Amino acid sequence: MDKLILIDGNNIIYRAFFAMPPLTNTAGKPTNAVYGFTTMLLRLIEEQKPTHMIVAFDAGKVTFRHEGYQEYKGGREKTPPELSEQFPMLKELLRDLGVPQFEIGSYEADDIIGTISREADEQGRQVLIVSGDKDMLQLASEHTTIALIRKGVTEVEIYGPEQIREKYNLTPEQIIDLKGLMGDASDNIPGVPGVGEKTALKLLHQFGSVEGVLAGTSELKGKMKEKLEAHAEDAVMSKKLATIHREVPLEHTWEDMVFTGLNKDTAGPALAKLEFKSLLERLSLSANGPAGTGAEGDSTPEAELDITIIDEANLDELLTKLPGISALHVETNGDNPHRSEVIGLALSSEERHYFVPISLLKSPAADQLRAWLSDETTPKSGYDLHRADLALHWQGIPFAGAAHDVQLAAYLLDPTEANQNLNDLTAKYGLPHLSADEDVFGKGAKYKIPELEVLGTHVARKSATVLGIVQKQQQELIDTAMKGLFEDLEMPLSRILADMEKQGIAAHKEDLMELGKEFEWQISKLVTEIYEICGTEFNLNSPKQLGEILFVKLGLPVVKKTKTGYSTDAEVLEKLAPYHDVVRLILQYRTIAKLQSTYVEGLLKEISPVTGKVHTFYRQTIAATGRLSSQFPNLQNIPIRLEEGRKIRKVFVPSEPGWSILAADYSQIELRVLAHISDDERLKEAFLQDMDIHTKTAMDVFGVTADQVDSNMRRSAKAVNFGIVYGISDYGLSQNLNITRKEASHFIEQYFEVFQGVRRYMDDIVVEAKKKGYVTTLLERRRYLPEINASNFNLRSFAERTAMNTPIQGTAADIIKLAMVHMDKALFDRQLKSRMLLQVHDELVFEVPADELELMKTLLPEVMEGALKLSVPLKAEVSYGSNWYEAK
DNA sequence: CTCCTCACG
DNA sequence: ACGTACGTGAGGAGA
């Protein structure tokens, strides 16, 4: 079956340009857009296996659309020169890859694609259109689907007529009417002012088309009617502009579009010229011309590896080879490493790969192998060694000697790239593809461990992959100045986290159940009362049903809407409370129900029957800022702000009699970090004198003395301080303080008048991010912000706030991680029995024996405060008690 | 599997 | 004109 792919060249290269971090060849020429385009193209070829393909480009500046409307695409920002110069590079590359390309004077890529897809349609051929432009949806048909590129160039949504109906309840043809009514700012198509997507959809569902709407205005009234009548011509013209021209005079034949695979003779040299080494390797092409094997632009075939499945008979052979082994992979099932089982262990040396099934690994015959596994002087690389350590631990197999964790390194190299599994990394580093775990094991209920041969081969390929990545990552870490961060902070921390998690924190089950009974009783009382007042029973946990009761039955005013209906969140309910007594009760119900389901029932399920403790799992590779996250259960969001919830903390107790819970938290760490990196004199002054920072801010912003600061002024100052850390916007502050945007903006202005160093930092960091494409923390942790130069206001603003926030939040994360490493060493050096149990972003929790309490009360804050030397002091406040609640 | 809501720093 | 505060994880509802 023939399959034709039509690619909107201009659109994709644009998106690739803004989605990719800046990337240049050794001569300093930007190549990022070409690179992004090419990776997408190769993936398409691999996944779709097209028999025909073209890339269409816009030709020239003036198209037939300008004849009727000169302002078409007016007001658009000029194409950045860094992108312009990549067009010829891309066209040359496509030629060398053997991918046909089309452009024709005075028409746009859309029109070429529209014309070819019409012809293909008429001949019943299968077509896939690739673009980021929603307008393309008008071309969908029985045989034609559209792959809409969403985020960056990696995610696509596939649309056929069916999906368009589901999403908009429109036919593909009506997409044109939609744009006719709503216009398109980026193309300078006016549409009807005041009509956005929502209104346009409503009108089209009622009248069917632009013409239908204009003919039917008599059925409408008010502003809407006026607007439509006044702008009838605009609507008609906009529709015309949005219509893809499907009769372009093209002189082409079906044969001109044939694609039989990459041109092996020229593809290699072309990619080499652009210095796309990873793509060269991925395609196993050589820079000098035709390559030996498997270069169809298809996935690199799975490598032929020398794999030995180990049993008792050949175990000795493996043991002799151990000195040459540096990479391993521990295969486990399930997400929770405290509960999952180890299935097997793969080991890799440069020459050979081995797989040891779990049964053998646990047997006495494997003593020597296990000794090697637990030997900290034999360095081992792997993917997610932290998880492996835990899973092995619960099977009674100790692990030590983690040298290079490929997952952790990948996270440091790009912390925003979500969940980089080994498969993603093979693509990135041009290594042979792995089968997806899903294909080997099946998923969900169908999960099944395959036969030994298949299993061993799959897992051994993973350790082989690790082996292939380590050196490359080492070099990248050096190039990005993150080697120190990796070796001296993150790798040591990963072992410390594993220790904390194995240790767990004791939770008093009976007390928790007792608390649950209390909540149960309160819930049933509240529920009865609420049903009675409302005069009906319904599911209080359903926002949908609750909305129905509040806004329809009781007729309360609608404050806020969500995508799917009425909003009933706490903010809305607070506003509704004065109107009806039941609202307060609902708020109370929500509070208690949350405590009951998440914290009582949720925690009960997580208390290990084996240890009587809760063993969380810290994830070191999730948060883009460098923070940790906690799962199964999340122990970083145990209630504290409200007394009812805070009681939950009473169930967390020391695991040995006579011991105490000791906790210390950093005071205002983020604002202290800000004082340091902004070098703002007044902010530094405040911390050097150890003043209450919010009161001090209020004094300076309102120009009053300390005793003139009332609680309201302090509250405002506190909100401004928060806002500053988050990357302030007047809108955000106005929401938080419930004031007008203007007042908020005035506040911010006053703040910056006083704290000019902070203003300078905020300005500078954004400029720096725009220039470099990333921001860093004090310890050189990096976060890329590809959207910092986006033309879309929202995307750009978000990236700008992130640029302001990440160095602050991230440096604070660096500091507490340092403190953990130092503290671990301090405990070891002094041979103390005290144990580190939890980290909650700016707080560390320990359990300590009575005879170490006095020492720990001074040691802990000392180590935390001395973790990193800043231009202002760090401050840690320590407290202790017989449980976590008391340690406040 | 997505949405809403809410717990934390 | 645009429509947000930064970073997470979990539970329940309703498709």
Side-chain angles (χ1 to χ4, degrees), chain A residues 854-874:
Chain A
E854 282 311 309
L855 170 63
M856 285 291 287
K857 271 161 60 182
T858 48
L859 178 64
L860 177 57
E862 239 172 59
V863 169
M864 287 173 74
E865 288 169 3
L868 188 65
K869 179 107 186 75
L870 301 183
S871 59
V872 294
L874 287 173

Side-chain angles (χ1 to χ4, degrees), chain A residues 528-536 553-554 580-582 585:
Chain A
T528 323
E529 206 173 337
I530 291 168
Y531 288 164
E532 195 163 332
I533 296 177
C534 295
T536 172
K553 190 151 189 289
L554 301 180
H580 203 292
D581 293 342
V582 78
L585 299 176

